[in-house]
């Protein structure tokens, strides 16, 4: 959700500093204009006394509204909804636009953790609204349409809460996968360095001792030992560099396994079509990066039900295609897409992006030189819950 610098001072103090929430609480307050606009359209005179009383209710409502956004427990939220409802009932006796406060009350009632408790609080607010409209001079009509709005707002907020919970679980799952991957990588590096450095330093120590003994009685033998020490040091340096390179490289089977887990957690069915591919390490790193970024975009933005990943090889090129069946008619090319294009350009590849009502399709292709057998995957696999054999 978008944020604006003008609200930086109050974000986090008046309402939660949540990236998914953004500055939405501020913009929802524009609904308060109904309290002034509705009386004007139904012919109520906007006298100074009327406007003063109406603005007083707004001033009383705002602290309750922002306190409800900051409430983290049901015990804190329920009293605020009750006070908000009572304020709306009192306002409706002089201004039918006071039903706006009850709509806000229904919206916050949806944030009660248990559905049963949320429904009971919603019904209580609705009954209070009908009672206040019956007692007012404006009749039941003053809460009939707002009641329909309240129903939509209540169930819409419950759906958003469920989606936010699933997103949080997905992030936890991704963080756990990343943590396990880092732990496994550290253990691998520790083993490699122990085997490499331990053996090399042992040989260095032995040859140094031998060269020291030979330096006086057999200078040529000592020089030979020192030459071997130099060669051994160069070889060890090369092996250390290979180990570090392996630490920094990315592998397509690993990214495919992560993609399967991320899409499965987001309840998106994954369809794979992968042939046996032989790729150089540099190209494999780039394709793994593109796959990771594309799948992250699908999980965060597509809201589709299916995703397809296809990896194909011709005589001269390799093509990776990632698409989904979500709906996206406009997409700003931010840092993610720009980084994809830059990385592909470095290996002579290019990216083609297609948007439409049937989803987003990212297709990349690059020239390749076969180096090693990387993947061996069945031609079609559409069960998102099954493991990817190539990654294990």
């Amino acid at each position: 959700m978008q944020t604006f610098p003008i609200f930086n001072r109050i974000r986090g103090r008046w309402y939660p500093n949540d990236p998914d929430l953004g500055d939405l609480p501020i913009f929802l307050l524009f609904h308060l204009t109904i309290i002034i606009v509705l009386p004007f359209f139904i012919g109520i005179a906007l006298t100074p006394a009327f406007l003063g009383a109406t603005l007083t209710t707004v001033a009383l409502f705002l602290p309750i509204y922002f306190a409800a956004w900051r409430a983290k427990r049901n015990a804190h939220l329920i009293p605020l909804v009750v006070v908000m409802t009572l304020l709306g009932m009192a306002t409706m006796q002089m201004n039918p636009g006071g039903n706006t406060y009850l709509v806000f009350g229904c919206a916050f009632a949806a944030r009660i953790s248990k559905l049963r408790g949320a429904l009971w609080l919603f019904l209580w607010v609705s009954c209070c609204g009908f009672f206040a409209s019956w007692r007012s001079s404006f009749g039941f009509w003053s809460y009939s349409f707002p009641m329909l709005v309240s129903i939509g707002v209540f169930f819409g907020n419950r759906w958003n809460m469920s989606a936010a919970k699933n997103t949080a679980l997905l992030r936890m799952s991704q963080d756990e996968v990343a943590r396990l991957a880092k732990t496994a990588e550290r253990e691998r590096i520790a083993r490699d360095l122990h085997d490499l450095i331990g053996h090399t330093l042992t040989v260095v120590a032995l040859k140094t001792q031998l060269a020291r003994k030979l330096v006086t009685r057999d200078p040529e033998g000592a020089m030979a030992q020192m030459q071997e020490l130099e060669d051994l040091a160069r070889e060890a340096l090369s092996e250390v560099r290979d180990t570090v390179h392996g630490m920094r490289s990315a592998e397509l089977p690993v990214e495919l396994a992560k993609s399967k887990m991320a899409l499965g957690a987001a309840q998106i069915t994954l369809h794979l079509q992968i042939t046996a591919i032989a790729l150089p390490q540099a190209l494999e790193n780039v394709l793994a990066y593109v796959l990771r970024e594309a799948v992250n975009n699908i999980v965060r933005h597509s809201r589709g039900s299916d995703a397809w990943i296809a990896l194909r090889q011709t005589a001269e090129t390799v093509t990776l295609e990632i698409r989904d069946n979500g709906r996206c008619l406009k997409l700003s090319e931010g840092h993610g897409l720009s980084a994809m294009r830059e990385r592909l350009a470095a290996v002579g590849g290019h990216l083609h992006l297609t948007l439409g009502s049937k989803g987003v399709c990212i297709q990349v292709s690059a020239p390749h030189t076969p180096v090693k057998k990387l993947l061996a995957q069945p031609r079609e696999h559409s069960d998102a819950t099954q493991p990817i054999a190539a990654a294990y």
Side-chain angles (χ1 to χ4, degrees):
M1 191 68 66
Q2 190 172 5
T3 58
F4 296 85
I6 192 175
F7 302 123
N8 287 345
R9 289 181 176 271
I10 63 175
R11 190 186 311 113
R13 296 171 56 190
W14 292 14
Y15 55 91
N17 187 7
D18 185 348
D20 295 330
L21 183 64
D23 293 321
L24 180 63
I26 296 294
F27 294 101
L28 289 177
L29 291 176
F30 284 105
H31 291 92
L32 295 178
T33 56
I34 297 175
I35 299 176
I36 303 297
V37 174
L38 183 60
F40 174 79
F41 278 106
I42 64 175
I44 297 178
L46 303 180
T47 63
F50 177 86
L51 290 175
T54 299
L55 293 178
T56 299
T57 65
V58 173
L60 294 173
F61 169 78
L62 290 177
I64 303 171
Y65 172 79
F66 286 115
W69 275 113
R70 298 192 304 272
K72 297 181 179 179
R73 299 181 180 179
N74 294 343
H76 298 158
L77 183 59
I78 292 175
L80 295 171
V81 174
V82 170
V83 174
M84 196 179 297
T85 303
L86 296 177
L87 178 63
M89 294 175 65
T91 306
M92 288 176 64
Q93 304 310 306
M94 65 170 184
N95 184 341
N99 53 41
T100 305
Y101 298 144
L102 278 79
V103 175
F104 276 111
C106 291
F108 282 111
R111 300 183 66 196
I112 300 299
S113 56
K114 296 294 182 63
L115 177 59
R116 179 179 297 181
L119 284 172
W120 277 114
L121 187 57
F122 168 74
L123 291 174
W124 180 82
V125 174
S126 301
C127 291
C128 289
F130 280 115
F131 177 78
S133 63
W134 173 66
R135 294 287 296 174
S136 70
S137 59
F138 307 106
F140 277 110
W141 71 267
S142 62
Y143 194 64
S144 56
F145 179 73
M147 178 62 190
L148 297 178
V149 175
S150 298
I151 293 174
V153 168
F154 176 83
F155 287 102
N157 282 359
R158 291 298 302 186
W159 183 87
N160 286 335
M161 286 179 59
S162 177
K165 183 178 180 180
N166 290 337
T167 301
L169 292 175
L170 174 60
R171 288 176 178 170
M172 290 176 61
S173 176
Q174 291 175 326
D175 292 342
E176 181 65 13
V177 170
R179 187 187 66 81
L180 293 175
K182 290 179 180 178
T183 300
E185 185 68 5
R186 284 196 296 266
E187 292 176 352
R188 183 192 68 82
I189 295 170
R191 289 194 302 268
D192 290 349
L193 290 178
H194 176 270
D195 296 341
L196 171 64
I197 302 300
H199 172 73
T200 302
L201 291 180
T202 300
V203 176
V204 167
L206 292 174
K207 286 187 172 293
T208 302
Q209 292 175 0
L210 180 58
R212 186 176 58 190
K213 293 178 180 178
L214 295 175
V215 70
T216 55
R217 62 182 181 181
D218 187 4
E220 292 184 0
M223 288 293 296
Q225 292 298 323
M226 285 188 281
Q227 181 62 48
E228 292 181 7
L229 280 173
E230 181 181 353
D231 295 340
L232 182 63
R234 293 182 185 278
E235 181 181 353
L237 179 60
S238 176
E239 291 178 348
V240 169
R241 286 174 176 170
D242 290 341
T243 302
V244 174
H245 176 72
M247 175 181 65
R248 294 178 179 176
S249 64
E251 296 183 355
L252 268 174
V254 175
E255 290 303 327
L256 283 168
K258 292 181 180 179
S259 300
K260 170 246 181 182
M261 180 174 292
L263 292 169
Q267 299 181 345
I268 298 175
T269 303
L270 175 61
H271 306 266
L272 288 173
Q273 188 176 14
I274 299 176
T275 58
I277 300 292
L279 298 177
Q281 185 65 54
L283 180 55
E284 182 183 351
N285 292 344
V286 173
L287 294 181
Y289 173 82
V290 171
L291 176 62
R292 179 170 62 247
E293 290 295 319
V295 170
N296 284 342
N297 287 337
I298 292 175
V299 170
R300 294 175 182 173
H301 306 300
S302 77
R303 296 188 177 181
S305 59
D306 292 85
W308 291 262
I309 298 175
L311 186 62
R312 307 182 185 93
Q313 179 183 10
T314 64
E316 298 179 352
T317 63
V318 59
T319 302
L320 174 65
E321 182 180 294
I322 308 103
R323 60 186 178 92
D324 63 86
N325 64 346
R327 183 177 179 86
C328 182
L329 301 178
K330 184 179 180 181
L331 183 66
S332 59
E333 184 154 339
H335 174 73
L337 284 173
S338 299
M340 289 185 197
R341 295 187 189 277
E342 291 176 0
R343 288 174 181 254
L344 284 166
V347 293
H350 63 274
L351 180 147
H352 180 69
L353 178 66
T354 305
L355 305 178
S357 59
K358 295 183 179 180
V360 177
C361 178
I362 295 177
Q363 187 178 60
V364 301
S365 61
H368 75 94
T369 302
V371 172
K372 61 178 181 177
K373 185 176 180 181
L374 175 66
L375 297 173
Q377 183 71 23
R379 293 293 299 177
E380 182 65 24
H381 177 63
S382 61
D383 186 358
T385 62
Q386 295 298 320
I388 299 176
Y392 300 97

